[in-house]
Amino acid sequence: MMEIKRKMGIAHFARRIKQPRGIWVKMAFVVVLGLCFVFFWSFLSSYASSFNVQRESFDDIAEPVSSRTKPARNEVTESSKSHEKSKVESGLKSKEAKHVGGGSVHKHETKKKKEHVVVSHPPHKKKDLPKPVVVVEEEEEAVVKEVQEQVEAETEESESNKEDGEEGTESDNNEGESDGNGDESNASADEEVEEKKEEVEISKKRKRKGPVFDPKAEYSWRLCNTRSKHNYMPCIDNDGLIGRLQSYRHRERSCPKKPVMCLVPLPHDGYDPPVPWPESKSKILYKNVAHPKLAAYIKKHNWVNESGEYLTFPQNKTAFSGNVLQYLEFIQEMVPDIEWGKNVRIVLDIGCSESSFVAALLDRDVLTVSLGLKDDLVDLAQVALERGFPTFVSALANRRLPFPSGVFDIIHCSACRVHWHSHGGRLLLEMNRILRPNGYFILSTMTALTASICWNILAHKTEEASEMGVRIYQKPESNDIYELRRRKNPPLCKENENPDAAWYVPMKTCLYEIPSAIEQHGAEWPEEWPKRLETYPEWLTSKEKAVGDTDHWKAMVNKSYLTGLGIDWLHIRNVMDMTAIYGGFAASLVNQSVWVMNVVPVHSPDTLPFIYERGLIGIYHDWCEPFGTYPRSYDLLHADHLFSRLKNRCKQPASIVVEMDRLTRPGGWVVVRDKVEILEPLEEILRSLHWEIRMTYAQDKEGMLCAQKTLWRP
């Protein structure tokens, strides 16, 4: 009977719907049906999400689960045990992270390692949480520290991106000097951050044990097929499939997603041993730096001439209308405190032109680092490297340069064509970050922003011989002047922001406070050169280690490197220490006719400020990525325990050997000191690249390998 009534009700409802006035009934029916659907869907999705969260809590103890139900006081269920266990382990991890957060490991690396932590605890009690016992392998302790530092660096970078987003967008709209790629670069930066986060998750799951090189691997080499051909710089050149239709080079450093495992070809006309130093200051082999646009450039400039198979650089013909020596004397006359080679030792030259400024300063014991901008499509930075001058290539756009804060005595920009006003003046603020307090900024043009950052103009004069206007500014030595500004723009940076963080860190539109405490680097001007080389400042916490490092390498270089490895040091000029710690290796070579690029890996303790304090030069870098320079840039690479320190951080450690092959000139050398278990497979890789193994040595599981690159290409 009930069934018949139900059917009659439905039939009556259907007839009402068919009537004209039944439109309201139809709408009511649809609304009721939709509400029912939403109710059941929310119920099912809530249940599903709850299940997923709980499952994640079992797989990843780093994410504690918030319990919805609280068990009875005297009742302990299996789920509550799992939940409390998760809370204990997560709290333990957080506590451990806080403990290691104050270490001296870099705070500017974005790629993480997986920590190896074993947690054990007694049987679970009803009321009190157990006290966990942590066992951390000694070799992995540094990794645990590093993970927390990397998390902080990522958080700081993401926050700074949010803070600078509105400011950057506004400046992009107001500045006509920008190239119109601001939105695209911001989007690509966000995508890169997401990609790096994915890489971090992958690296966290990567096992920490096992050999660095796969002993069973067989290598088959091929040449790189890129648009830049023999001048290929993987993280700078835009050689993707889409990139070939776009600009020649990336707006920012952007490395290939997969490790580079191809070999860069030699120049079209081959490669001959470079002209030795100091003759290379005045001439180099043309074919070693051949470039399609270089020939046209030579015809328009008189500071470089083509003479047979050489490019020559007449001393009386420079970019300056007068003599470059007169230009240096002119600067020192305006500011007598600039004593070249004594009070001033380290200089950064923005933009590579004809390098006469760098060459003249070398004769006065001043070490100058030339920044070759990525927009240099004539590759003049490669010409500077071939001549034997310290040079690296980088973009100067959104990210910081790979230097610590307050390390350059002078920054020089002569017709470098940098738009210092663009994007809220962040480029000038980046110069302020890396310039030493009381340091000098020499410009051939004028910028109004120097007043807002309290730079004092010491001299403004036109040099008669060159007819070039020169302005010399000086950075303040204390914070008092910042408080006297009427307009606090740009503002002071937050106290918790690290001014030394530089690897994949965006530039900030703020002023860092000038160090004032004796335990901070940059609070005092260094000793005069060469005394500063052997001076250990008060802020250096590991003075004994630094002294020991210097003594160790001084003895090692004199005993074996200069005489026992078969290296002809008369043909060695450009040297790189791939794992510089305190700069001891570079200090031991200071009396040789070489310059050393000290590379401090981003996963190691930050000792680069001390290297600059000594009057040496260096740079931050992650060896899981290619270095920012041209192929065939260095005569000798030195790697002391590089691979054992990297462990398995990199996706494919063999790509580091490929990068060493790219960096080294034919006839150049690599000297590797490491564990025997690493050197043996490394030797096989070098043999597959047709390198000549000149010497191997092993004792007590430690050894040395010395190899020389040949002209072989596949």
Side-chain angles (χ1 to χ4, degrees):
M1 189 67 181
M2 293 294 295
E3 181 66 16
I4 294 173
K5 288 183 178 180
R6 185 179 65 82
K7 290 182 178 180
M8 290 177 64
I10 294 175
H12 177 70
F13 183 75
R15 286 194 299 271
R16 292 288 301 274
I17 292 177
K18 292 180 180 180
Q19 296 176 2
R21 65 177 180 274
I23 184 66
W24 301 107
V25 180
K26 292 179 183 179
M27 294 179 62
F29 178 77
V30 171
V31 170
V32 171
L33 185 63
L35 290 174
C36 293
F37 177 80
V38 171
F39 174 78
F40 283 105
W41 177 261
S42 61
F43 175 79
L44 292 174
S45 61
S46 175
Y47 178 79
S49 63
S50 174
F51 177 76
N52 288 336
V53 171
Q54 291 183 4
R55 291 297 298 162
E56 288 175 3
S57 69
F58 288 107
D59 294 336
D60 186 3
I61 62 174
E63 296 292 333
V65 183
S66 58
S67 176
R68 293 187 176 183
T69 58
K70 187 175 182 179
R73 186 170 184 177
N74 297 326
E75 179 183 352
V76 180
T77 63
E78 288 297 319
S79 61
S80 65
K81 289 181 180 180
S82 300
H83 171 58
E84 290 185 9
K85 178 181 179 181
S86 175
K87 287 180 63 178
V88 170
E89 295 175 344
S90 176
L92 167 65
K93 187 174 181 180
S94 175
K95 182 177 180 180
E96 181 69 11
K98 290 181 180 179
H99 174 69
V100 303
S104 59
V105 181
H106 283 297
K107 295 187 179 181
H108 49 232
E109 185 185 5
T110 57
K111 296 183 179 178
K112 303 178 185 176
K113 295 181 182 179
K114 179 179 178 182
E115 64 271 32
H116 185 77
V117 183
V118 180
V119 183
S120 59
H121 48 76
H124 197 61
K125 296 182 181 180
K126 294 182 180 180
K127 296 181 180 181
D128 300 326
L129 291 175
K131 297 181 179 180
V133 179
V134 182
V135 180
V136 182
E137 291 184 8
E138 183 177 355
E139 65 176 1
E140 297 295 333
E141 249 179 49
V143 177
V144 179
K145 291 183 179 181
E146 188 176 350
V147 168
Q148 175 64 14
E149 300 289 352
Q150 294 159 353
V151 172
E152 292 178 0
E154 276 192 359
T155 304
E156 180 181 350
E157 181 173 352
S158 62
E159 290 178 354
S160 62
N161 281 333
K162 292 179 181 178
E163 292 174 359
D164 295 341
E166 296 179 359
E167 211 169 280
T169 304
E170 182 179 349
S171 61
D172 285 343
N173 294 332
N174 294 336
E175 290 294 333
E177 298 167 344
S178 62
D179 56 7
N181 295 331
D183 297 337
E184 181 181 347
S185 64
N186 292 336
S188 62
D190 294 339
E191 291 175 1
E192 186 173 0
V193 170
E194 294 300 325
E195 290 175 0
K196 286 190 174 293
K197 288 182 179 178
E198 292 178 4
E199 292 177 3
V200 166
E201 295 302 324
I202 294 174
S203 63
K204 286 174 66 177
K205 298 178 181 178
R206 192 174 295 136
K207 294 182 179 180
R208 305 305 311 160
K209 295 185 178 181
V212 174
F213 300 109
D214 184 0
K216 299 180 181 180
E218 296 182 0
Y219 300 96
S220 177
W221 304 108
R222 62 177 179 84
L223 291 179
C224 299
N225 182 20
T226 61
R227 182 167 52 170
S228 46
K229 299 178 182 178
H230 59 276
N231 286 337
Y232 180 43
M233 294 182 285
C235 296
I236 296 174
D237 293 339
N238 195 355
D239 278 297
L241 293 177
I242 299 178
R244 299 197 177 202
L245 303 175
Q246 298 176 352
S247 60
Y248 181 68
R249 286 179 175 160
H250 293 292
R251 179 175 173 80
E252 288 284 1
R253 177 182 175 87
S254 180
C255 299
K257 293 183 179 180
K258 294 182 179 179
V260 178
M261 291 296 291
C262 60
L263 304 182
V264 177
L266 295 176
H268 180 71
D269 295 329
Y271 186 90
D272 287 343
V275 176
W277 182 267
E279 191 179 358
S280 62
K281 286 196 297 183
S282 58
K283 72 175 184 178
I284 60 174
L285 285 169
Y286 191 177
K287 69 177 184 179
N288 287 358
V289 295
H291 188 279
K293 295 184 179 181
L294 186 57
Y297 182 89
I298 293 173
K299 295 178 181 179
K300 298 178 181 179
H301 298 80
N302 62 356
W303 61 266
V304 55
N305 299 322
E306 183 179 357
S307 178
E309 61 179 346
Y310 296 101
L311 290 181
T312 59
F313 308 93
Q315 292 185 357
N316 59 340
K317 300 289 185 180
T318 68
F320 309 95
S321 299
N323 193 302
V324 67
L325 298 178
Q326 295 177 356
Y327 176 71
L328 296 181
E329 293 173 359
F330 176 67
I331 292 175
Q332 189 162 334
E333 286 176 3
M334 289 192 294
V335 183
D337 287 342
I338 298 180
E339 297 180 77
W340 301 115
K342 293 183 179 180
N343 193 40
V344 170
R345 163 66 178 173
I346 303 296
V347 175
L348 176 65
D349 188 30
I350 305 295
C352 289
S353 55
E354 38 81 24
S355 301
S356 64
F357 177 75
V358 178
L361 286 178
L362 276 175
D363 295 335
R364 302 193 177 199
D365 260 351
V366 176
L367 198 54
T368 304
V369 182
S370 294
L371 170 60
L373 302 178
K374 59 98 178 176
D375 295 325
D376 170 24
L377 302 183
V378 186
D379 293 340
L380 294 178
Q382 188 180 35
V383 175
L385 284 163
E386 189 73 12
R387 294 179 68 184
F389 301 139
T391 308
F392 81 104
V393 182
S394 174
L396 189 60
N398 300 317
R399 297 199 193 107
R400 292 179 175 179
L401 295 174
F403 303 119
S405 63
V407 292
F408 288 102
D409 304 335
I410 285 181
I411 297 177
H412 179 259
C413 172
S414 175
C416 57
R417 299 179 180 178
V418 175
H419 302 303
W420 299 110
H421 291 82
S422 64
H423 303 289
R426 66 184 177 200
L427 299 182
L428 195 65
L429 287 167
E430 173 64 4
M431 298 300 104
N432 184 76
R433 182 186 71 87
I434 62 178
L435 183 63
R436 187 180 295 280
N438 243 11
Y440 306 94
F441 189 76
I442 302 177
L443 268 175
S444 59
T445 57
M446 180 179 179
T447 172
L449 292 175
T450 54
S452 64
I453 61 177
C454 303
W455 283 5
N456 181 29
I457 182 166
L458 299 181
H460 174 207
K461 191 175 180 181
T462 300
E463 205 267 318
E464 295 179 358
S466 64
E467 298 181 355
M468 178 180 293
V470 178
R471 298 173 184 272
I472 302 179
Y473 300 90
Q474 187 174 32
K475 181 179 176 179
E477 61 179 344
S478 67
N479 296 303
D480 297 339
I481 194 170
Y482 292 155
E483 300 299 327
L484 300 178
R485 295 182 300 164
R486 293 182 179 180
R487 295 180 58 191
K488 303 298 189 292
N489 186 29
L492 294 179
C493 300
K494 297 178 181 178
E495 293 183 359
N496 60 349
E497 290 184 357
N498 181 11
D500 294 333
W503 189 247
Y504 282 98
V505 176
M507 294 181 185
K508 305 293 179 66
T509 53
C510 61
L511 284 169
Y512 282 100
E513 290 190 356
I514 295 173
S516 56
I518 195 172
E519 62 271 11
Q520 294 176 293
H521 79 83
E524 296 180 349
W525 194 272
E527 297 284 348
E528 289 187 353
W529 178 262
K531 186 178 179 181
R532 67 189 284 182
L533 181 66
E534 301 293 338
T535 301
Y536 302 91
E538 294 293 332
W539 51 264
L540 184 65
T541 57
S542 51
K543 181 179 178 180
E544 294 181 359
K545 292 182 179 180
V547 173
D549 179 78
T550 301
D551 294 341
H552 165 75
W553 286 114
K554 186 180 295 183
M556 190 67 64
V557 167
N558 292 332
K559 180 180 179 181
S560 59
Y561 281 66
L562 296 179
T563 57
L565 300 183
I567 299 174
D568 183 3
W569 287 89
L570 294 177
H571 291 84
I572 302 295
R573 172 61 184 169
N574 301 356
V575 179
M576 174 186 286
D577 189 358
M578 301 177 71
T579 50
I581 301 179
Y582 297 103
F585 177 74
S588 65
L589 293 172
V590 74
N591 293 324
Q592 304 297 317
S593 297
V594 302
W595 63 269
V596 181
M597 178 63 76
N598 293 280
V599 180
V600 174
V602 294
H603 64 275
S604 65
D606 186 8
T607 54
L608 194 52
F610 172 65
I611 290 175
Y612 274 95
E613 192 79 7
R614 304 186 71 174
L616 307 172
I617 60 174
I619 197 171
Y620 294 124
H621 185 63
D622 184 353
W623 283 115
C624 294
E625 300 180 3
F627 191 78
T629 192
Y630 288 89
R632 306 171 301 278
S633 292
Y634 288 90
D635 301 303
L636 186 144
L637 302 180
H638 182 250
D640 179 32
H641 290 81
L642 168 66
F643 297 100
S644 58
R645 288 192 177 105
L646 284 174
K647 300 184 186 300
N648 293 334
R649 289 185 65 254
C650 306
K651 294 179 181 178
Q652 196 164 357
S655 64
I656 305 174
V657 187
V658 175
E659 177 63 4
M660 296 169 73
D661 180 89
R662 189 185 74 88
L663 294 175
T664 311
R665 292 169 172 170
W669 299 75
V670 296
V671 179
V672 183
R673 303 171 63 91
D674 220 308
K675 298 178 181 179
V676 173
E677 62 184 25
I678 292 176
L679 293 180
E680 290 177 350
L682 175 61
E683 180 179 346
E684 295 303 317
I685 297 175
L686 291 174
R687 289 187 184 277
S688 71
L689 291 168
H690 292 250
W691 283 54
E692 295 182 355
I693 308 301
R694 296 300 187 183
M695 190 274 293
T696 58
Y697 174 80
Q699 182 179 7
D700 298 332
K701 298 183 179 181
E702 295 285 331
M704 176 189 289
L705 184 151
C706 183
Q708 188 175 21
K709 182 179 176 180
T710 65
L711 286 168
W712 178 84
R713 297 287 90 175

